[in-house]
Amino acid sequence: MKPPTAAEVSSAFRHLIDPSARISQVQLLSGGCISHAMQIALASDRLGNCTLFAKSNTTSFADNFECERDGLEALAAAQAIAVPQPIAVGTAAERSWLVTEWVQAEPPVQKSFSDFGRQLAELHRATAGNRIGWPRASFLGSAIQPNTAARSWSEFVAQNRIGYQLRWAVDQRLADAKLRRQAEEIIAALSQLLAGRADETSLLHGDLWSGNYLFGYLFSAKRRHREAVPVIIDPAVYYGCREAEFGMLKLFGSCPAEFYAAYQTTWPLAAGWERRINIYVLYHLLNHLNMFGSGYLSQCHRIASEILHSK
């Protein structure tokens, strides 16, 4: 789908935000491979003069954007780490849209990753309880992430994470016989492999990697102050073991040692967490196998072997 025209953006914002919306600038942003991303300079009776971020896609993508809005609101409610405020979500101008406040990214400074680690731990601690799953499926990019509740965390991982991805890979003929045997053996041993973790679950971002966190200033009509802070975006939320948050961070996170040290100082993970998070690394590698093809097969073999050797 082609990027929206300025006329389509104006029509959508008048419908979704305010009939008085007047757009002075639309700047297409690079980096998104699924939706069209834009920086919007806007004036309206409702919001005043402000800069907003918007994503658009086909109308079939509306559920994805609604899930992202719900996730941002849930994370914001914990009041532990910053997220961009959702402004509007819906369909207009024959497209689906998600509009949030703009985050002006800045390079990290000396304490940025320590703040990030501490605030992520505070998010997990503030939302700790015994819930597992989420009322609806979420999305890893365009891939569905099932969140059906289960009686135990190991059962949830077996059904909604490793098992779901394995079934998808088999259906797509991307899982060879070796990976299928490995994954089935891991699923059968999940209670043993995940033993030792803390019992409580927490609200998780769910897709936390280097493309989904940044450091910067939050702007909106309701936040006039400027303060560079860690900000997390594009969530795929659910309640689960907080160790699962570190699967994508280990795979594609690029977080330095001070991030992990600050997290551990704030709310330590149970001994053995470095070994257990390989389960969640495998989950995300299987998802990449399913989304992007057989180039990820050898990595799936490798991490599955590591998991099985750790039993």
Side-chain angles (χ1 to χ4, degrees), residues 25-288:
Q25 185 178 14
V26 177
Q27 181 178 348
L28 291 174
L29 304 174
S30 61
C33 61
I34 298 172
S35 300
H36 296 296
M38 293 152 280
Q39 181 185 14
I40 311 291
L42 173 78
S44 75
D45 295 342
R46 173 188 165 195
L47 299 177
N49 296 320
C50 60
T51 301
L52 299 177
F53 172 79
K55 293 195 287 190
S56 76
N57 209 309
T58 63
T59 55
S60 64
F61 213 72
D63 190 51
N64 189 304
F65 286 156
E66 289 175 2
C67 286
E68 185 172 340
R69 184 269 318 274
D70 292 348
L72 290 171
E73 290 178 344
L75 292 167
Q79 298 183 333
I81 189 167
V83 298
Q85 175 189 350
I87 304 296
V89 65
T91 57
E94 299 183 349
R95 295 170 181 265
S96 59
W97 300 81
L98 173 67
V99 184
T100 71
E101 70 178 309
W102 175 255
V103 182
Q104 181 61 48
E106 297 287 342
V109 297
Q110 184 175 3
K111 71 183 189 71
S112 293
F113 278 99
S114 294
D115 287 346
F116 182 25
R118 174 178 53 80
Q119 290 175 19
L120 183 64
E122 289 171 350
L123 166 69
H124 293 161
R125 184 164 57 187
T127 58
N130 57 14
R131 292 178 62 182
I132 297 175
W134 191 250
R136 64 194 298 180
S138 48
F139 294 86
L140 300 173
S142 59
I144 293 175
Q145 177 171 258
N147 293 313
T148 305
R151 291 172 297 179
S152 68
W153 176 243
S154 59
E155 182 179 307
F156 179 88
V157 175
Q159 294 177 354
N160 296 281
R161 296 296 180 259
I162 306 300
Y164 173 79
Q165 291 292 339
L166 176 62
R167 293 189 295 272
W168 187 14
V170 169
D171 289 345
Q172 295 193 95
R173 299 185 178 179
L174 290 168
D176 60 11
K178 177 181 178 180
L179 180 59
R180 188 169 184 171
R181 288 194 302 270
Q182 289 175 316
E184 289 174 347
E185 186 175 348
I186 288 168
I187 290 169
L190 276 172
S191 294
Q192 173 189 348
L193 290 167
L194 295 175
R197 70 173 190 88
D199 289 335
E200 68 272 343
T201 57
S202 298
L203 180 67
L204 308 181
H205 175 283
D207 190 19
L208 196 55
W209 65 290
S210 60
N212 285 346
Y213 68 79
L214 64 155
F215 305 95
Y217 302 107
L218 289 156
F219 290 91
S220 77
K222 296 181 179 179
R223 288 191 221 187
R224 298 296 184 185
H225 63 282
R226 291 168 56 95
E227 182 183 2
V229 294
V231 183
I232 52 178
I233 61 174
D234 295 347
V237 301
Y238 64 99
Y239 283 91
C241 174
R242 59 194 174 108
E243 293 176 358
E245 198 84 281
F246 295 89
M248 273 292 275
L249 283 171
K250 179 176 179 179
L251 194 56
F252 300 120
S254 302
C255 289
E258 56 263 31
F259 164 83
Y260 295 97
Y263 187 100
Q264 289 288 76
T265 298
T266 305
W267 196 24
L269 295 162
W273 69 272
E274 297 98 330
R275 168 183 51 81
R276 289 188 295 272
I277 65 171
N278 280 337
I279 297 291
Y280 314 113
V281 173
L282 175 62
Y283 165 60
H284 289 290
L285 282 173
L286 287 169
N287 185 62
H288 278 67

